[in-house]
Amino acid sequence: KPTLESNDSQIPVVSRIGSLAPDVDTMNASHLFYRALDRLKAKFDPAWERYESSGRLNIARYVRGEDFDTLFDQWNENIENATSIECVILLDNSGSMQGNKATSAYKAMYAIKRALDKIEARTSVFTFNTEVATLYRADERASHEIRDGGSTGGTNPHEALRIATKLLAETDRPVRICFVITDGEWDSSNLNQNHEMIERMAQAGVLTALAFIPDGIDYQLTDNSMHKCEVGAVVQNPMDLVGMANQLVHYAVTRRLVTQ
């Protein structure tokens, strides 16, 4: 399998930010996103050796009356971090995102970030327009407010994708995810290079996902609007992320991005 190469990109400082209050849908979506990711970890975490004759009693197997020698699970500390996650979220905050689309984008980011925080994933968040800014460092957790980096400028994710590539290439965590949250067309000047970076991530085992923030209510994702990401969803409100979470889990299993 191809490896991901690092680069000399510099991680920007945390930008000056405002804040939004999360609503009920955002919090519910985050919880359901978390539950999907947690099921993935529970099912595929190789640190738990299943169906053993001693260890932690598995109540479900006990109730089913299975053989005594299969009722226990054992924890193997040597592979405790085998399903730990490194994630980078890239949020389009160009001028075209102003208004309701920006609000939807920041809510989606927050729901994803909080879900990943709950499973102890390292999750960095960067905004991009014609420049890149850090919204959350990987070691920061989302609080009770949504950080809002505003919306202005053009739409060029090139440096943001280079930063994502760098972080995902250098991490020692085996499960790697890159989320892109955007509303459409990117600068054409280096579009092919940007798509090649996303494809290289996928080839190297990074799960690439895109949340599309549409203008209208009937928008359908196309190959062009997916920007070469493997998993995508139209997100008009935070609850639309729930289906995306299930897609991610299914795709991770299908691609064997985690060890069974």
Side-chain angles (χ1 to χ4, degrees), residues 8 10 12 20 36 38 46 55 74 87 89 96 109 126 154 189 192 198:
D8 59 0
Q10 299 297 309
L20 298 168
D38 197 47
Q74 292 182 355
C87 179
I89 301 174
S96 64
M109 173 278 299
F126 302 97
S189 61
N192 289 338
I198 293 171

Side-chain angles (χ1 to χ4, degrees), residues 25-90:
D25 280 352
T26 300
M27 299 305 291
N28 286 342
S30 182
H31 179 69
L32 293 171
F33 207 107
Y34 150 72
R35 287 181 59 185
L37 294 173
D38 197 47
R39 285 197 302 273
L40 178 67
K41 284 177 65 70
K43 184 175 182 180
F44 289 94
D45 193 341
W48 282 105
E49 297 177 352
R50 313 291 180 178
Y51 299 94
E52 300 295 323
S53 59
S54 63
R56 187 183 73 173
L57 177 66
N58 185 295
I59 299 298
R61 292 202 293 274
Y62 173 79
V63 170
R64 289 196 299 267
E66 297 188 16
D67 292 342
F68 181 83
D69 287 347
T70 68
L71 293 182
F72 300 91
D73 299 326
Q74 292 182 355
W75 182 259
N76 186 338
E77 293 184 357
N78 294 328
I79 50 177
E80 180 176 351
N81 294 320
T83 54
S84 58
I85 294 170
E86 184 87 30
C87 179
V88 179
I89 301 174
L90 306 180

Side-chain angles (χ1 to χ4, degrees), residues 2-191:
T3 58
L4 201 59
E5 295 184 2
S6 187
N7 56 59
D8 59 0
S9 289
Q10 299 297 309
I11 308 301
V13 299
V14 176
S15 63
R16 296 180 63 181
I17 52 177
S19 63
L20 298 168
D23 57 14
V24 172
D25 280 352
T26 300
M27 299 305 291
N28 286 342
S30 182
H31 179 69
L32 293 171
F33 207 107
Y34 150 72
R35 287 181 59 185
L37 294 173
D38 197 47
R39 285 197 302 273
L40 178 67
K41 284 177 65 70
K43 184 175 182 180
F44 289 94
D45 193 341
W48 282 105
E49 297 177 352
R50 313 291 180 178
Y51 299 94
E52 300 295 323
S53 59
S54 63
R56 187 183 73 173
L57 177 66
N58 185 295
I59 299 298
R61 292 202 293 274
Y62 173 79
V63 170
R64 289 196 299 267
E66 297 188 16
D67 292 342
F68 181 83
D69 287 347
T70 68
L71 293 182
F72 300 91
D73 299 326
Q74 292 182 355
W75 182 259
N76 186 338
E77 293 184 357
N78 294 328
I79 50 177
E80 180 176 351
N81 294 320
T83 54
S84 58
I85 294 170
E86 184 87 30
C87 179
V88 179
I89 301 174
L90 306 180
L91 190 157
D92 176 354
N93 72 332
S94 60
S96 64
M97 295 284 286
Q98 288 181 356
N100 290 335
K101 285 196 291 184
T103 300
S104 296
Y106 283 108
K107 286 180 178 180
M109 173 278 299
Y110 180 82
I112 297 168
K113 167 71 175 164
R114 274 185 63 93
L116 286 157
D117 285 350
K118 287 183 181 180
I119 59 169
E120 304 299 328
R122 285 174 49 85
T123 307
S124 308
V125 183
F126 302 97
T127 58
F128 68 89
N129 43 68
T130 47
E131 298 180 347
V132 183
T134 302
L135 204 59
Y136 292 91
R137 295 187 296 270
D139 58 357
E140 291 183 289
R141 295 176 71 88
S143 68
H144 61 284
E145 292 184 326
I146 304 172
R147 291 185 181 178
D148 181 348
S151 53
T152 187
T155 313
N156 194 335
H158 187 72
E159 186 57 27
L161 287 167
R162 279 176 48 81
I163 290 169
T165 297
K166 176 184 178 71
L167 291 175
L168 295 170
E170 295 179 357
T171 185
D172 60 356
R173 298 202 172 196
V175 180
R176 299 171 294 170
I177 305 173
C178 180
F179 281 102
V180 180
I181 303 173
T182 185
D183 71 340
E185 292 188 13
W186 293 351
D187 192 315
S188 61
S189 61
N190 45 18
L191 184 61

